[in-house]
Amino acid sequence: MKVTLKDGSVREYTEAKSILDIAKDLSEGLARAACAGEVDGERVDLRTIVDKDCCVSILTFEDKGGKDAFRHTAAHIMAQAVKRLYPNAKLAIGPSIDDGFYYDIDSDEVLTSEDFPAIEAEMKKIVKENLLLERFELSREDAIRFFEEKDEHYKIELIRDLPEDAVISLYRQGDFTDLCAGPHLMSTKPVKAFKLMKIAGAYWRGNEKNKMLTRIYGTAYTKNADLEAYVAMLEEAKKRDHRKLGKELNLFMFSEEGPGFPFFLPKGMVLKNTLMQYWREIHEREGYVEIATPVMLNRHLWETSGHWDHYKENMYTTVIDDEDFAIKPMNCPGGMLVYKSQPHSYRELPLRLAEVGLVHRHEKSGALHGLMRVRCFSQDDAHIFMTPEQIRDEIKGVVRLISEVYQLFGFRYLIELSTRPEDSMGSDEDWEMATNGLREALEDMNLEYIVNEGDGAFYGPKIDFHLVDAIGRTWQCGTIQLDFQLPQRFGAEYIGADGEMHRPIMIHRVCFGSIERFIGILTEHFAGKFPTWLSPVQVKVLPISDKYSAYGHQVLKRLKEAGIRCEIDERAEKIGYKIREARNERVPYMLVVGQKEEENGLISVRSRFEGDEGQKELNDFIDTVKAEIGTRERKEEKAE
């Protein structure tokens, strides 16, 4: 049999082999690191036997599939530990998630984080026992009987909901057996670096009518050093939490009168407007024109766009004059109406319509999270209408623009190509052409990307940009979606060079994504210490005492005339206190003024970047800061 590997090379074998055997044939080191395998795109255990021609990938902890198998095994180890300590506890589900794993448990005894040390100690015993994980299959009747004997009614419900032809697999490790599709590690031994993180309530199957279960979250790594680094990152993330900083810096607020609907305060509006000023500057440079479309449009529009069928549960609806209306969850259908409002020629294309539109989406209350997950937000959309020949160049132009934006803020980013989902509309030919257009543009630019099968929008494939922030977390922000469907559904046309009517192709794209979410990400990325050009207050004037307030106001007036955002602190406090307060407010520059400064017409400068910079001429300082603001320089902070 011929086995094609991830790098395209082919290995030939005369007899069937397990994935682990193939890994050993490639490298003993690879076999030691292997967590799972992939055969023709399907994730499998290392124990899976390969007996025919196929494509095989060996998945380590560095791969998402390997990480999932590792952490899914950790979830089983935790469940086994819980059952040993609390035999009457009932188990629900326990999947791996992006940053670890969880297990939902129904226990008569109230479980709290104070129980974590005992559970972790039992988990260590299970790891030390080096229990083999054995996969086996049962018929539906036998599987139900098996879990009836164990009084695990959640497992029975899951089995009964499986399709009639489903393979029902279980995994056994020592005295513990769980219903599971896998894959898993070969044994419990490798899972040595783990930690239980938090506890929460979770309704069974996410339905608030069902019983509330106890959800225990944990994480696991192959090395203790990586686990410690992750825990340290979480501690740093707590300090950077945008909800905490947003309150401290008076940027935004939330109110119980509008859960999930953010209120921007004056300083937050300065930050938001400064971002948008930059956004408009670069979009004008790139040939975009800005439009605005209504927040509410009728049902017919959303039926035409496909949103009424594919997205209605996330939309807010109402009735006006006996007609159904919906508040827009997306800007694109309104953009289509603008395009169709007048005839177009191929000579006008590509036509780049930009819109920072306010959209509303219904999110469950439990999913709301500061600015990161809200119910209304401003989306920096653009819709580009073009000919088929312009696809590749337009995509490359958008990629360059998004890259420029992220580099300005110091973000690295990862690129993901998402393909056709199950719930999609359009022909196979259109989807293939759209997907190839995105792929070819990325390959033309020599950009690395990973493929996320089946995660495209319902109307087209997309490129997603995942930002990597200052402490290593990733955030999905920018996206480029290629759409053949909406122009067709709306009957959009242009007159071609041949004088005939043709259908344009449409790009949906965002740079920031949600402006609100991007502000949350920036707040955490910079820990509230925004670059000077973005800071709501760029300079704070600090008179040493009331006697020097008049001179302080002279300095303030000069700064304002130069277009620098500034404030003065005239409180009857000691200068040390004023400096500490300004530092807590993350102000980039503090100008201390007292007797010496007034007598010599100078200022004493303290900054986040150099600390005490000594006395300077005010004009020189203004010129320096204006240059920093004008170039949008991102200066390194001085270590505290």
Side-chain angles (χ1 to χ4, degrees):
M1 64 181 177
K2 293 182 179 179
V3 173
T4 305
L5 302 172
K6 187 160 49 176
D7 62 2
S9 63
V10 177
R11 292 286 177 114
E12 293 194 23
Y13 300 103
T14 58
E15 59 185 20
K17 283 188 173 292
S18 69
I19 299 294
L20 184 59
D21 288 335
I22 295 171
K24 286 177 180 176
D25 183 50
L26 298 174
S27 153
E28 285 293 335
L30 177 61
R32 285 192 296 272
C35 296
E38 201 169 75
V39 177
D40 291 337
E42 181 183 354
R43 289 184 196 169
V44 296
D45 289 320
L46 293 172
R47 59 184 69 75
T48 299
I49 301 298
V50 173
D51 57 5
K52 61 182 179 181
D53 293 355
C54 60
C55 295
V56 170
S57 293
I58 309 299
L59 304 177
T60 70
F61 193 79
E62 300 306 310
D63 303 295
K64 185 181 186 306
K67 201 177 264 103
D68 286 346
F70 190 96
R71 289 173 169 168
H72 197 175
T73 303
H76 277 220
I77 292 170
M78 182 181 78
Q80 184 177 13
V82 168
K83 288 292 286 185
R84 285 183 178 182
L85 295 170
Y86 310 96
N88 294 325
K90 309 303 175 192
L91 301 177
I93 58 170
S96 64
I97 53 177
D98 284 346
D99 54 359
F101 60 88
Y102 70 78
Y103 217 113
D104 288 346
I105 297 160
D106 184 358
S107 175
D108 293 334
E109 297 182 59
V110 178
L111 298 175
T112 70
S113 56
E114 292 179 2
D115 298 304
F116 286 179
I119 298 171
E120 287 175 339
E122 195 63 38
M123 289 174 70
K124 288 176 183 175
K125 289 180 187 177
I126 293 166
V127 169
K128 195 172 182 180
E129 289 168 19
N130 190 18
L131 301 175
L132 294 179
L133 276 90
E134 303 169 277
R135 182 184 184 276
F136 63 99
E137 296 175 6
L138 292 176
S139 67
R140 181 183 299 268
E141 294 75 16
D142 287 344
I144 289 172
R145 191 178 305 115
F146 179 88
F147 285 107
E148 280 177 342
E149 290 172 0
K150 294 180 175 293
D151 196 23
E152 293 284 1
H153 60 273
Y154 295 107
K155 302 296 180 183
I156 295 168
E157 184 177 331
L158 290 170
I159 294 168
R160 286 184 169 140
D161 284 350
L162 289 172
E164 285 296 325
D165 59 349
V167 173
I168 299 174
S169 60
L170 296 85
Y171 279 80
R172 180 189 298 116
Q173 57 193 55
D175 58 1
F176 176 75
T177 301
D178 204 355
L179 176 72
C180 187
H184 281 283
L185 301 181
M186 298 293 285
S187 82
T188 60
K189 185 178 180 180
V191 189
K192 294 178 181 176
F194 58 82
K195 183 176 178 62
L196 301 186
M197 307 300 297
K198 62 180 179 179
I199 205 159
Y203 291 110
W204 167 233
R205 309 194 93 167
N207 187 335
E208 59 191 21
K209 294 179 182 178
N210 290 336
K211 187 172 183 179
M212 176 76 78
L213 306 179
T214 300
R215 177 170 293 180
I216 301 178
Y217 287 93
T219 193
Y221 287 83
T222 55
K223 294 181 289 190
N224 271 312
D226 292 339
L227 175 62
E228 289 168 4
Y230 174 73
V231 172
M233 182 273 286
L234 290 183
E235 288 303 313
E236 180 63 24
K238 285 181 186 176
K239 299 176 190 173
R240 293 170 179 255
D241 190 323
H242 74 284
R243 294 168 298 178
K244 169 177 168 285
L245 291 173
K247 187 174 182 179
E248 291 175 3
L249 302 178
N250 292 313
L251 300 177
F252 59 86
M253 58 168 271
F254 287 89
S255 170
E256 62 183 19
E257 283 80 6
F261 298 97
F263 292 70
F264 273 84
L265 305 177
K267 288 181 179 177
M269 281 306 298
V270 171
L271 175 60
K272 188 175 183 180
N273 287 336
T274 304
L275 267 180
M276 293 318 305
Q277 181 182 347
Y278 164 67
W279 184 91
R280 290 190 167 93
E281 178 185 311
I282 59 174
H283 280 73
E284 184 177 353
R285 183 197 74 199
E286 295 296 319
Y288 288 79
V289 292
E290 189 171 354
I291 63 170
T293 63
V295 171
M296 187 184 297
L297 294 161
N298 71 13
R299 174 175 176 167
H300 174 69
L301 175 89
W302 302 111
E303 287 177 333
T304 303
S305 70
H307 289 89
W308 197 266
D309 292 330
H310 294 268
Y311 206 75
K312 185 173 181 292
E313 68 277 6
N314 296 101
M315 296 165 65
Y316 294 107
T317 60
T318 189
V319 177
I320 301 175
D321 296 335
D322 299 323
E323 186 177 3
D324 290 332
F325 275 72
I327 299 174
K328 66 177 178 180
M330 297 175 187
N331 296 309
C332 34
M336 287 296 320
L337 295 183
V338 170
Y339 178 85
K340 283 192 64 185
S341 66
Q342 58 187 22
H344 297 280
S345 160
Y346 73 97
R347 298 180 187 277
E348 299 172 62
L349 306 183
L351 177 60
R352 306 181 184 107
L353 302 179
E355 177 178 15
V356 184
L358 181 66
V359 299
H360 290 70
R361 298 179 185 176
H362 177 62
E363 298 282 358
K364 291 183 178 179
S365 58
L368 301 175
H369 180 77
L371 294 180
M372 304 306 195
R373 187 65 72 90
V374 291
R375 287 172 168 160
C376 75
F377 55 91
S378 303
Q379 193 164 36
D380 70 319
D381 266 321
H383 299 102
I384 303 173
F385 297 87
M386 62 198 168
T387 68
E389 297 75 25
Q390 294 168 332
I391 290 175
R392 199 181 297 191
D393 285 343
E394 283 303 300
I395 291 169
K396 289 194 284 190
V398 174
V399 171
R400 279 191 287 268
L401 181 65
I402 291 175
S403 178
E404 176 186 338
V405 170
Y406 295 163
Q407 287 174 13
L408 175 68
F409 299 105
F411 289 117
R412 292 186 298 110
Y413 58 84
L414 310 171
I415 297 176
E416 192 172 78
L417 173 62
S418 298
T419 60
R420 186 175 189 172
E422 288 185 15
D423 181 22
S424 63
M425 59 186 189
S427 69
D428 293 344
E429 293 77 17
D430 282 351
W431 273 89
E432 184 176 357
M433 186 186 299
T435 305
N436 287 339
L438 295 178
R439 181 182 289 110
E440 288 164 6
L442 292 173
E443 290 172 356
D444 280 353
M445 300 179 78
N446 296 315
L447 293 172
E448 291 185 8
Y449 64 93
I450 61 171
V451 177
N452 187 3
E453 296 288 354
D455 200 44
F458 67 84
Y459 48 77
K462 60 178 181 170
I463 296 171
D464 287 329
F465 294 79
H466 296 264
L467 308 187
V468 183
D469 70 10
I471 57 175
R473 297 169 301 178
T474 57
W475 307 91
Q476 195 275 307
C477 289
T479 186
I480 305 171
Q481 301 173 359
L482 195 53
D483 185 0
F484 288 72
Q485 310 308 322
L486 246 59
Q488 182 175 327
R489 292 173 75 92
F490 277 88
E493 295 179 324
Y494 66 91
I495 302 170
D498 58 2
E500 300 295 322
M501 302 306 292
H502 297 268
R503 189 85 65 212
I505 291 146
M506 184 179 184
I507 287 176
H508 308 247
R509 50 108 289 196
V510 295
C511 292
F512 297 146
S514 155
I515 307 298
E516 287 75 7
R517 184 167 181 265
F518 196 75
I519 287 172
I521 293 167
L522 284 182
T523 302
E524 298 194 1
H525 177 59
F526 291 120
K529 298 177 181 179
F530 300 106
T532 303
W533 72 273
L534 201 52
S535 293
V537 178
Q538 294 162 328
V539 178
K540 197 142 193 178
V541 181
L542 308 177
I544 287 176
S545 69
D546 290 347
K547 287 192 294 183
Y548 308 106
S549 282
Y551 180 59
H553 275 281
Q554 290 178 34
V555 171
L556 191 75
K557 184 171 181 289
R558 295 271 298 281
L559 292 168
K560 287 185 175 180
E561 288 171 349
I564 295 170
R565 296 192 289 270
C566 52
E567 291 180 347
I568 187 168
D569 186 346
E570 297 183 276
R571 292 177 298 172
E573 301 285 355
K574 293 182 179 179
I575 192 62
Y577 177 84
K578 291 183 180 182
I579 291 171
R580 283 194 302 276
E581 286 286 288
R583 285 180 63 188
N584 289 338
E585 293 167 10
R586 277 72 165 175
V587 176
Y589 292 97
M590 293 157 273
L591 305 186
V592 178
V593 292
Q595 183 178 349
K596 290 181 181 178
E597 288 77 19
E598 184 174 27
E599 288 174 352
N600 299 294
L602 301 172
I603 51 171
S604 288
V605 180
R606 298 183 68 89
S607 75
R608 292 198 323 239
F609 318 107
E610 300 295 335
D612 189 350
E613 296 187 19
Q615 290 187 332
K616 294 185 179 182
E617 292 279 352
L618 181 56
N619 286 341
D620 291 344
F621 172 77
I622 287 173
D623 289 344
T624 300
V625 173
K626 283 186 69 177
E628 182 186 336
I629 293 168
T631 59
R632 298 190 174 95
E633 183 182 357
R634 188 166 32 85
K635 296 175 75 171
E636 292 296 321
E637 297 281 339
K638 184 176 181 180
E640 295 182 6

